[in-house]
């Protein structure tokens, strides 16, 4: 270990110094030397370990190692392994000798007081603090990595709190401590030493607004915990009590990683000599934390809660839709949560308003809702109704501009875990819709893209979704879990597959079977009419080209093959320069485990069955999935959305620990 401090000796009087357990102290044996001295010997009292450091290429080791040459290439350090019981109870003696075998020419005596000072955190990521003398100042990714983790304290554990816990400089409930990472300060030594020395806890200025530290003083009331470091306080003189050997702290994160914050913060403690002016730090111990990222969960994770909105429009209420969602949730053993109209202000697009994810440290994990900047009728729902005990909240607002449709979170998805060219993405990759490269069209707001990129663990991929009227990726893709070795399939909307299916049915003699049969508010279109509609074909083939461009990006960026992709029949038509679904968009489904809530396409009825539904069943049910077709035509499809847009699902977190990966 590198020397932390140098002590200069004197022949005329004893030298007194403080040393820290486990830290080598450099002893200067060269500055004050008797005239004629050519060698020296050094010894320490019990509890002191003496090291003679030399360059073997330049120094000949003396016989018996008792008398070392006074050579510039020979140095002495000492170390102690336990705190002193009393002041100056440890001793180091240096004796100087001349050329002859006569007695010593002089002595220097060093009296040491050993103090045990160490700042420790959960560097081993076990959920508990263990004493660690290794490198605590750095943080390393991977299964062999080390370094402590901080949770952003973004939940609200007390019902009386106005906002997330991270906004409070005082504890509102002791439950909040469970969201914080423990930190322990060891400070053993003679009590009288601390009459002339103090311990000071510090946070660097750039980190102060991203971390808060509470000191625990041994009681069980809220008053026994006070914030000692944070945005308004960069240092804290530790209030050590006589005989106190360990002081506990609790550390909270105040901000997720972002474009201006890599996620690393540090804290340090210094032993300061107050008997000098200016005061001199004798020793500093530093620990590093990484703030846990926000992590999205893909459709392949088991569902926990299904969210939907109760609304009323010109067609009446969506009561039937909610009943269907209740039945679906029951099949999937999933809880249904309905946001009432008074809270959603008739905004049914709950998928667009928010995205569920989670954050995790070795000692705890909890869900976190990411509130989109769209700010429509559901604007206050995530903050007012979802933020709560062990349920966090985060948002990003767009400054100086309004949100576009692409800023809604129907335009945000995440793949299952994938391996791409040998590189593993054990938490999947985030997918966001954007404009065609270099086209200058609509993009998701930079503030949101930057936030997603900064989390590091789900490297985002930008897709081309601006060709759609609404412009969301969930209009042309979805992931479903499967029971085979691959574990999932990517579903892509496919106009070619739909045209091919209709052509096949025409050749089988079913050309007069009609799309939208049974819908009162929609004109029927026979298979023959749709196939003969040159505009519908042209528009759908244009959509196919856009989807095919995304298909190649998805294959490349997710390491997929054609066998991993399932083409779901779908037609599109252009309205202006952007595309809309011709019939309910079946990939815009809600996935609850093996149960799929799919928009009912109202396809041509052949032999008493919808041929589009039958085709989708034939594609997905052999994979262990159950297709449940739900009528969302009037309540959702006519408003340019489907079941996925009108629902949201909180899912079980990954079992894989994000700190084990290498970004």
């Amino acid at each position: 270990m590198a020397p932390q401090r140098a002590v200069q000796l004197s022949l005329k009087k004893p030298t007194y110094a403080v040393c820290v357990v486990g830290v080598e102290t450099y002893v200067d044996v060269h500055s004050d030397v008797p005239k004629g001295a050519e060698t020296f010997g050094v010894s320490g009292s019990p509890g002191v370990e003496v090291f003679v450091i030399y360059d073997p290429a330049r120094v000949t080791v003396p016989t018996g190692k008792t008398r070392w040459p006074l050579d510039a290439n020979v140095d002495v350090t000492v170390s102690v392994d336990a705190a002193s019981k009393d002041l100056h109870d440890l001793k180091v003696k240096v004796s100087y000798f001349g050329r002859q075998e006569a007695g010593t020419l002089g002595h220097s005596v060093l009296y040491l007081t050993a103090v045990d000072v160490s700042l420790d955190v959960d560097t081993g990521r076990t959920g508990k603090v263990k004493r660690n003398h290794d490198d605590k100042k750095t943080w390393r990714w991977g299964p062999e990595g080390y370094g402590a983790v901080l949770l952003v304290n973004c939940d609200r554990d007390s019902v009386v709190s106005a906002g997330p816990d991270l906004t409070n400089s005082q504890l509102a409930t002791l439950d909040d401590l469970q969201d914080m990472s423990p930190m322990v300060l060891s400070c053993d030594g003679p009590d009288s030493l601390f009459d002339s020395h103090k311990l000071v806890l510090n946070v660097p200025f750039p980190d102060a607004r991203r971390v808060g530290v509470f000191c625990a003083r041994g009681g069980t009331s809220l008053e026994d915990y006070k914030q000692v470091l944070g945005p308004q306080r960069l240092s804290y003189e530790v209030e050590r009590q006589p005989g106190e050997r360990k002081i506990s702290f609790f550390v909270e994160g105040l901000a997720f990683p972002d474009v201006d914050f890599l996620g690393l913060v540090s804290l340090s403690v210094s032993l300061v000599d107050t008997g000098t002016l200016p005061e001199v730090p004798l020793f500093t111990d530093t620990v590093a934390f990484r703030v846990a990222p926000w992590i999205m969960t893909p459709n392949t994770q088991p569902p926990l809660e299904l969210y939907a909105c109760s609304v009323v429009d010109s067609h009446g209420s969506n009561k039937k839709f909610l009943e269907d969602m209740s039945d679906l949730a029951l099949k999937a053993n999933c809880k249904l949560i309905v946001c009432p109209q008074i809270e959603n202000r008739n905004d049914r697009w709950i998928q667009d308003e928010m995205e569920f994810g989670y954050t995790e440290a070795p000692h705890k994990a909890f869900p976190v809702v990411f509130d989109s900047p769209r700010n429509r009728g559901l604007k206050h729902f995530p903050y007012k109704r979802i933020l709560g005990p062990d349920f966090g909240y985060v948002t990003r607002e767009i400054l100086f501009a309004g949100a576009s449709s692409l800023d809604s979170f129907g335009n945000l998805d995440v793949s299952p875990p994938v391996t791409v060219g040998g590189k593993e993405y054990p938490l999947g990759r985030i997918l966001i819709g954007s404009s065609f490269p270099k086209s200058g069209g609509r993009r998701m707001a930079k503030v949101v893209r930057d936030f997603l990129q900064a989390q590091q663990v789900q490297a985002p991929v930008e897709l081309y979704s601006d060709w759609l009227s609404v412009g969301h990726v969930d209009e042309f893709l979805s992931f479903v879990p499967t029971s085979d070795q691959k574990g999932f399939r990517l579903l892509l909307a496919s106009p070619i597959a739909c045209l091919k299916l209709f052509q096949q049915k025409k050749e089988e003699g079913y050309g007069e079977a009609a799309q939208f049969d049974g819908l009162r508010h929609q004109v029927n279109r026979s298979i023959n009419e749709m196939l003969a509609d040159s505009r519908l074909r042209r528009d759908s083939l244009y959509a196919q080209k856009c989807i095919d461009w995304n298909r190649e990006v998805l294959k490349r960026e997710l390491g997929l093959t054609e066998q991993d992709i399932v083409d779901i029949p779908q037609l599109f038509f252009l309205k202006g320069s952007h595309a809309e679904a011709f019939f309910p968009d079946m990939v815009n489904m809600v996935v609850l485990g093996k149960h799929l809530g799919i928009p009912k396409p109202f396809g041509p009825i052949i032999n008493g069955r919808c041929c589009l539904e039958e085709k989708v069943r034939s594609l997905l049910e052999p994979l262990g999935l159950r297709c449940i077709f739900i009528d969302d035509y009037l309540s959702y499809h006519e408003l340019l959305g489907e079941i996925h847009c009108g629902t949201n699902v909180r899912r079980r977190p990954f079992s894989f620990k994000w700190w084990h990966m290498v970004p």
Side-chain angles (χ1 to χ4, degrees), residues 69-342:
L70 278 168
D71 187 291
N73 296 303
V74 178
D75 289 314
V76 174
T77 64
V78 297
S79 178
V80 297
D81 58 8
S84 293
K85 301 298 183 183
D86 300 296
L87 288 177
H88 321 312
D89 62 352
L90 301 172
K91 180 180 177 181
V92 176
K93 182 179 180 181
V94 179
S95 301
Y96 295 94
F97 308 93
R99 181 184 299 273
Q100 304 302 321
E101 293 297 324
T104 60
L105 299 179
H107 301 282
S108 294
V109 178
L110 170 62
Y111 289 101
L112 294 172
T113 304
V115 59
D116 186 4
V117 176
S118 181
L119 195 60
D120 291 288
V121 292
D122 180 21
T123 54
R125 302 169 188 167
T126 63
K128 296 181 180 180
V129 176
K130 291 185 179 180
R131 187 70 180 267
N132 187 356
H133 293 292
D134 297 330
D135 187 2
K136 297 178 281 188
K137 296 188 293 185
T138 58
W139 203 95
R140 181 177 173 184
W141 294 88
E144 304 301 321
Y146 52 83
V149 176
L150 279 186
L151 291 174
V152 177
N153 197 6
C154 59
D155 67 337
R156 181 168 55 195
D157 285 313
S158 173
V159 294
V160 300
S161 295
D165 293 333
L166 59 83
T167 62
N168 301 326
S169 59
Q170 294 181 337
L171 286 185
T173 170
L174 292 179
D175 291 339
D176 195 24
L177 296 174
Q178 304 303 314
D179 301 334
M180 303 184 194
S181 295
M183 181 172 71
V184 176
L185 171 59
S186 300
C187 49
D188 191 11
D191 288 336
S192 54
L193 174 72
F194 293 96
D195 293 337
S196 58
H197 295 76
K198 64 182 179 181
L199 294 165
V200 180
L201 201 65
N202 295 282
V203 58
F205 177 74
D207 296 345
R209 61 192 176 95
R210 294 159 178 151
V211 64
V213 179
F214 286 80
C215 182
R217 299 313 302 173
T220 57
S221 66
L222 295 176
E223 290 71 23
D224 294 315
Y225 299 85
K226 67 176 182 178
Q227 190 180 70
V228 295
L229 292 180
Q232 307 303 320
R233 192 168 187 179
L234 303 182
S235 65
Y236 164 64
E237 183 176 335
V238 178
E239 299 171 359
R240 180 186 181 274
Q241 303 300 318
E244 192 169 27
R245 297 181 178 182
K246 292 185 182 298
I247 301 175
S248 296
F249 296 88
F250 293 87
V251 188
E252 62 177 347
L254 303 181
F256 282 100
D258 213 327
V259 65
D260 60 346
F261 175 41
L262 294 177
L264 290 171
V265 296
S266 64
L267 298 170
S268 62
V269 66
S270 295
L271 177 65
V272 179
D273 185 351
T274 61
T276 62
L277 289 176
E279 296 178 344
V280 178
L282 303 181
F283 168 76
T284 297
D285 201 18
T286 301
V287 294
F289 294 88
R290 181 174 289 279
V291 175
W294 179 78
I295 302 171
M296 283 184 67
T297 48
N299 285 354
T300 47
Q301 291 299 109
L304 300 175
E305 295 173 335
L306 172 64
Y307 287 74
C309 290
S310 174
V311 294
V312 177
D313 59 21
S314 59
H315 300 296
S317 77
N318 66 338
K319 180 180 178 181
K320 178 61 168 63
F321 176 80
L322 295 177
E323 291 173 350
D324 291 339
M325 289 298 102
S326 179
D327 291 342
L328 183 65
L330 186 62
K331 289 183 174 68
N333 193 28
C334 176
K335 181 180 179 181
L336 175 65
I337 297 175
V338 177
C339 173
Q341 185 180 9
I342 193 172

Side-chain angles (χ1 to χ4, degrees), residues 40 71-72 75 90 127 147 163 166 300 383 389 429 446 452 460 486 555 576 584 590 592 600 602:
F40 74 93
D71 187 291
D75 289 314
L90 301 172
L166 59 83
T300 47
Y383 190 84
R429 300 191 69 178
K446 185 176 184 299
L452 297 171
K486 183 66 180 181
K555 286 165 64 176
V590 60
L592 302 181
K600 186 175 180 62
F602 292 96

Side-chain angles (χ1 to χ4, degrees), residues 21 68 86 97 174 277 325 444 452 490-491 522 545 560 569 605 616:
V21 171
W68 291 86
D86 300 296
F97 308 93
L174 292 179
L277 289 176
M325 289 298 102
M444 182 176 282
L452 297 171
L490 167 64
L491 310 186
Q522 182 65 41
K545 289 181 179 179
L560 304 180
I605 304 299
V616 171

Side-chain angles (χ1 to χ4, degrees), residues 505-517:
K505 296 306 176 184
K506 175 182 178 179
E507 293 172 359
E508 292 174 357
Y510 301 111
E512 293 305 315
Q515 185 77 38
F516 308 124
D517 190 11

Side-chain angles (χ1 to χ4, degrees), residues 324-390:
D324 291 339
M325 289 298 102
S326 179
D327 291 342
L328 183 65
L330 186 62
K331 289 183 174 68
N333 193 28
C334 176
K335 181 180 179 181
L336 175 65
I337 297 175
V338 177
C339 173
Q341 185 180 9
I342 193 172
E343 293 181 5
N344 63 53
R345 296 186 294 175
N346 235 33
D347 179 5
R348 71 195 67 209
W349 309 118
I350 197 166
Q351 178 66 50
D352 288 341
E353 181 59 39
M354 61 191 190
E355 183 65 56
F356 287 113
Y358 69 97
T359 190
E360 183 175 24
H363 67 282
K364 187 173 183 178
F366 57 77
V368 178
V369 62
F370 185 11
D371 190 0
S372 83
R374 73 188 280 268
N375 293 341
R376 289 168 59 181
L378 279 160
K379 174 181 178 180
H380 300 295
F381 177 71
Y383 190 84
K384 289 187 174 181
R385 296 301 180 190
I386 296 181
L387 170 63
D390 288 340

